[in-house]
């Protein structure tokens, strides 16, 4: 069935499947000690312009967020996030499960505001009782955010400056990073990101891999024994080369970025189709997730032909839904969507 | 390089890779809500003779152990395990990380003894101060154990009887279950196992899958909201069908058992080779892991040609090493090993 | 120095000290197995009109909140609280440290609103992705709240009805319960409270005891092995009778309520003094905590003579401060405060 | 009833009760910010010969162990303890509840052996898979141990040397420290202890206080924000001065040591009585706990007249019991015990 619900609805880029097949019977050591993993790390260091970066390969996003946050924070510290941050809403309390509070500040279409961040931390330290409160020990942002929005380079730098002034690391959730870096509307490159945060990950699950998230500590600043802590979190694959190999392919011949650009092109076409049928947009998103407002009756008709992502109720009779493109979206998928919308909005 | 170090040194059974490729562009819903996962669950229910079984697919062994144990135990409960149990030694404290103590009893070639188990629980409840101590809330065993040994059906039943008499669930770590069930020396079938424990898993990572562990609660006895707790533990794949599909293949046409039988046949040949060179065995193992004692000088020579698994120091000048066969072991691999050993022991 | 900063600035009611001295060399069994603890439990059961109540004595408020919440919640559950709830702000993340998320809803002078609560839970269960989110597993309120405000009996019942309709327990933090129950402005008795919630505590630390909080599960509904979990949380005193004895005194001849009434009388006098000097009140509080807005220059003068509680910045040049009365407040204290304020506001 | 079950069966030394009464209405700031706490810290620094020591006052032993261990260890670290260590047996899994594994080595009458300790750590780091295992991150010993035994100064230094060579802190549980330091059989002074470990506590609950444990980090080496972590663990009293004041009394005019000497004298008399009736001793203990083997029939008779501490079953018809003296033991208590034993062993 036609499906625009998300960007994790198809398997992997064919180049990855091909390599998995070619190497299937190469006998390899486990737990990420193989040569493919080594090669992938080097390619990522190079792509980030960070020759000293520590790079680790984990399996999924929620797992990565919890493992990184719990490994970096001290017991008395929490992580600042937008109220709408994925860690605060849709990760089944995985961060709190490790013992750490999420300290929320407002989200603006998914983004945090640098002045609100600064005020939050300042107020915290001015409170007479701050030693009875959880210390702000990390700032978490997503790029793109859960709403598909992006930070500008200036915004990113400003947030990082605040973090540095309080000696608090900035962690960027890059589950959809590929789609952010290749947006026609961004001025942030992979190098920019690496130089303006303290830890981030390059999402694979949603950007062409079967699964996998590459965590980067750009300046040799991984927490001590991070490897052991990935094991402790159940985030270490026995056949670790499976993730290493996938990233080795993604960072060969620029594939990760080519995949992103393809999705960006598909997104532009999707936006045209949405415009054609005058479907009101919920917010302007510069990346592969597009949010529109649709009458509930139309939605019912629509969902008989195409799977879309439920986002939230808009009002009594309307719903916000998500259309996502991905590395796997084809011109044919879009043509079919156009036909279906034509019928629904006839 | 020739490699007998473990059973997770090759990718996946070709039938699995083939299906991954065939279905790569079938657009599927995420998080295990797809039809392949449903089909796999039904096939596993059938194979277990447990039509009401709850079946969940997780990614790896350590993750599965921690998620199941933490979801079943109450705060005041711990899990009884052999001192040599994988959860007690080689999982980076993943169980304790979730807040639960491992209560150890002696391991006998990896197995627990039913009388020692009974005595442990009895003594616990007879202690005047038992309410100041962690309650035994689960029994954990591995089948096969970390030493490749197996419980007989009678042993399994006896342990389960003790558990039932104290209302303590029995959890069986089946990371290598396929190799246990197809051993020529076992009288325990998959149905036997399902009917003589309260939760277990059917290992995929080491038995033909790229990754994956199928957790079975045989009598509709999964903890409430186990699904959400897999998310909380970072054990839920976005592309959940990847695991479902692999198990669907493994439980079609008996593949899981055929794979096991192949490894068992390879193991018999391996044992003959070991015998041929009169290498002393460390313990008699009925499954795919064979432990031998080798002089350190010979080991050095050996490891130039073949990767083996370090187990432990035997004495000043000898080491215990592991040779493991697997679904992927070929006659050619064994022939080459024979040649290499011939040179080393010439 | 004169001190109105809080209600935990003096030792214990003399009747308690006297009994501690009288019983000092009575040799008693530890960990709350003594006869004073038994007697105190019975008196509390009677005072609550709950003959089947489970009663436990813990040491302090933060400890009690964390122990009760962690013992009642399942791993996948969080606790709903006002944003301003003590557990959410001033307990150093003690609840999250046990692995549980605090789910916040707005606070209205410290209180939650029943309709907002209902809407929160309803929305939660209507979310398509609710199984990826933390389940609401408990509702936490304070009575009095952190702002000294009180729920009416009707409000309490309405909140409890919502809780019951979703099978979610209602937990009432009663760190200052004595001052709430004896307020001239309340219609909630101890029996009312016990019958309209699922667990609560009768604060001792702030209401006449040296320390101690009496946790009540009114209908024999303590979590299994709660005793062991108090040990696990470090909340079990070796000399457990110290707390039992104090509560035995507090619940003899109505002392707990007499103490409260005394503080209520002192509060009325305090309010008159505040009025006399036309100090603007920050909010109307019916209990022993009074919040006023004071010019920063005046505050500086004031604090040379009397310790007050900093609450928050009101604006550029004003601060909100707290005056608290307590069981220990004397007429002389108030007369002195009157003199000091007379000087400051001359 | 006559009671030799433990050393926490009476209230507090009269000098403490007197001071509590004298200061009862002195209005004091909370949370340990008062002048008594300050004074107590200074006296303890002086008594330890450690002018830079960080000193914190907590409430009870289990709480102190869990708070210190969890605050010092990193996520990937565990604490080495004798199998018989209090944290491993009788603290309801409080350490594991904070996420940390206890790594056990044999206990020899409660003590660890320096060579076994060294071997354990050495083996750990020699294991090929040590990064899949919990790192030894602390050594925990008790002085006196749970069996009343003591380390010699040479033993303590040797253990500390091993710890230092691996950069692992040594933590000494001093719940009964007073009875250890004043034993006629010890060569370890408070200064010796402070200079030969990295953190320890001076037990109050069992040595003359109502409650309280004074944690000492001798060289200004408390973990960052330890104060906030005591709050997070529910270990911070609102009326913090109650503990400070008690230690201020205990460390005035050598009271803490006088109390210990008194108990030591009582112990010598107790030992004579035991000898007089030829009751076999279970082990030679140099401190206030004496363990003897008694026929079950005699024990039944005995327990009608005196409470003793159950320790463990010795064989089918005998039991090991504990007689403990304390600061509160009187000559009369011993005379009465003598009479009772006379009847039982008549």
């Amino acid at each position: 069935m036609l499906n625009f619900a998300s960007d994790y609805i198809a398997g992997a880029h064919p180049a990855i499947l091909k390599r998995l097949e070619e190497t299937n019977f190469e006998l390899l050591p486990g737990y990420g000690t193989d040569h493919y993993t080594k090669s992938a790390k080097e390619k990522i260091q190079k792509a980030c312009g960070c020759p000293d970066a520590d790079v680790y390969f984990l399996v999924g996003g929620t797992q990565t967020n919890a493992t990184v946050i719990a490994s970096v924070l001290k017991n008395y510290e929490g992580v600042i996030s937008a109220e709408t941050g994925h860690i605060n809403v849709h990760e089944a309390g995985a961060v709190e499960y490790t013992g750490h509070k999420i300290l929320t500040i407002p989200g603006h279409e998914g983004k945090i505001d640098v002045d609100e961040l600064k005020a939050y931390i300042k107020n915290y330290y001015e409170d007479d009782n701050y030693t009875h409160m959880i210390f702000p020990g990390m700032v978490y942002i997503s790029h793109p955010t859960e709403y598909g929005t992006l930070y500008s380079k200036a915004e990113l730098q400003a947030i990082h400056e605040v973090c540095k002034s309080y000696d608090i690391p900035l962690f960027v959730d890059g589950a959809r990073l590929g789609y952010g870096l290749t947006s026609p509307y961004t001025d942030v490159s992979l190098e920019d990101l690496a130089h303006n945060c303290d830890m981030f990950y390059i999402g694979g699950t949603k950007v062409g891999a079967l699964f996998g998230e590459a965590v980067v500590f750009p300046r040799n600043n991984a927490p001590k024994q991070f490897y052991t802590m990935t094991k402790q979190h159940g985030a270490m694959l026995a056949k670790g080369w499976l993730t290493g190999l996938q990233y080795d392919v993604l960072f060969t011949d620029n594939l990760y970025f080519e995949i992103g650009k393809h999705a960006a092109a598909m997104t532009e076409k999707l936006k045209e189709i949405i415009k054609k049928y005058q479907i009101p947009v919920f917010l302007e998103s510069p990346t592969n997730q597009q949010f529109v407002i649709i009458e509930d009756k139309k939605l019912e008709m629509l969902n008989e032909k195409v799977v879309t992502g439920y986002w939230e109720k808009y009002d009594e009779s309307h719903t916000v839904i998500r259309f996502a493109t991905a590395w796997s979206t084809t011109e044919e998928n879009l043509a079919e969507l156009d036909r279906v919308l034509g019928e629904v909005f006839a």
Side-chain angles (χ1 to χ4, degrees), chain A residues 304-344:
Chain A
E304 279 167 30
K305 301 286 176 54
V306 55
V307 188
T308 60
Y310 170 88
W311 200 250
E312 61 187 57
K313 282 303 297 176
Y314 184 73
D315 62 25
E316 287 285 291
S317 57
H318 294 78
T319 298
V320 178
I321 62 168
R322 176 175 73 177
F323 289 105
T325 68
W327 62 273
S328 58
T329 307
T330 61
E331 302 271 2
E332 288 70 34
N333 295 155
L334 285 165
E336 204 178 329
L337 179 67
D338 193 352
R339 273 194 304 279
V340 170
L341 287 174
E343 287 168 30
V344 171

Side-chain angles (χ1 to χ4, degrees), chain A residues 10-66:
Chain A
H13 191 279
I16 284 178
L17 280 193
K18 186 163 163 280
R19 283 300 282 152
L20 283 176
E21 214 171 324
E22 287 167 358
T23 61
N24 193 47
F25 286 104
E26 185 180 339
L27 306 183
L28 289 164
Y31 303 112
T33 59
D34 62 284
H35 65 95
Y36 293 115
T37 299
K38 189 162 175 286
S39 165
K41 287 184 181 184
E42 289 165 1
K43 287 177 181 167
I44 286 174
Q45 288 169 332
K46 206 170 160 193
C48 293
C50 297
D52 296 329
D54 297 316
V55 183
Y56 294 88
F57 298 107
L58 280 69
V59 179
T62 294
Q63 179 191 82
T64 302
N65 287 331

Side-chain angles (χ1 to χ4, degrees), chain A residues 88-294:
Chain A
N88 194 46
V89 184
H90 282 116
E91 302 194 351
V95 168
E96 288 88 355
Y97 187 66
T98 71
H100 295 286
K101 191 177 188 67
I102 299 174
L103 306 163
T104 54
I105 60 175
H108 304 281
E109 300 192 339
K111 293 164 64 178
I112 64 170
D113 175 84
V114 67
D115 291 324
E116 288 173 356
L117 171 67
K118 204 186 297 182
Y120 180 91
I121 305 176
K122 192 163 168 287
N123 286 343
Y124 169 78
Y125 279 107
E126 281 176 9
D127 193 304
D128 257 32
N129 276 321
Y130 79 88
T131 57
H132 288 214
M133 298 162 73
I134 278 295
F135 285 61
M138 178 188 261
V139 173
Y140 164 93
I141 60 174
S142 311
H143 185 84
T145 69
E146 295 70 21
Y147 289 83
T149 51
L150 291 170
Y151 290 90
S152 70
K153 193 164 153 183
E155 287 170 335
L156 200 60
Q157 285 171 332
I159 291 171
H160 199 213
E161 282 309 314
V162 173
C163 288
K164 283 191 285 187
S165 71
Y166 284 100
D167 200 19
I168 293 174
L170 175 61
F171 172 37
V172 181
D173 173 337
R176 292 189 166 95
L177 188 59
Y179 302 129
L181 297 176
T182 56
S183 162
Y185 310 104
T186 191
D187 64 347
V188 175
S189 70
L190 180 56
E191 289 208 29
D192 291 334
L193 184 71
H195 288 89
N196 285 291
C197 75
D198 299 290
M199 49 214 62
F200 68 100
Y201 58 102
I202 303 171
T205 302
K206 289 165 179 160
V207 194
L210 283 175
F211 59 84
E213 315 295 324
V215 181
V216 182
F217 298 92
R219 289 169 291 281
N220 190 23
N221 59 322
K224 226 176 132 185
Q225 312 305 347
F226 186 73
Y227 181 77
T228 298
M229 291 188 284
T230 64
K231 178 78 181 166
Q232 190 172 49
H233 279 263
M236 189 191 281
L237 277 189
K239 299 180 183 173
W241 73 83
L242 292 175
T243 338
L245 184 78
Q246 292 185 81
Y247 275 90
D248 197 51
V249 173
L250 287 171
F251 280 82
T252 298
D253 296 339
N254 244 10
L255 180 60
Y256 191 71
F257 299 94
E258 292 306 319
I259 277 174
K261 280 179 203 159
H262 168 76
M266 294 297 104
T267 302
E268 292 308 301
K269 295 201 173 176
L270 169 65
K271 282 157 78 174
E272 279 166 34
I273 297 172
I274 289 168
K275 205 168 177 182
K276 176 175 165 190
Y277 295 104
Q278 299 181 321
I279 312 176
V281 300
F282 178 59
L283 59 82
E284 291 295 335
S285 157
T287 60
N288 72 314
Q289 302 179 82
Q290 297 297 318
F291 302 90
V292 302
I293 302 162
I294 189 163

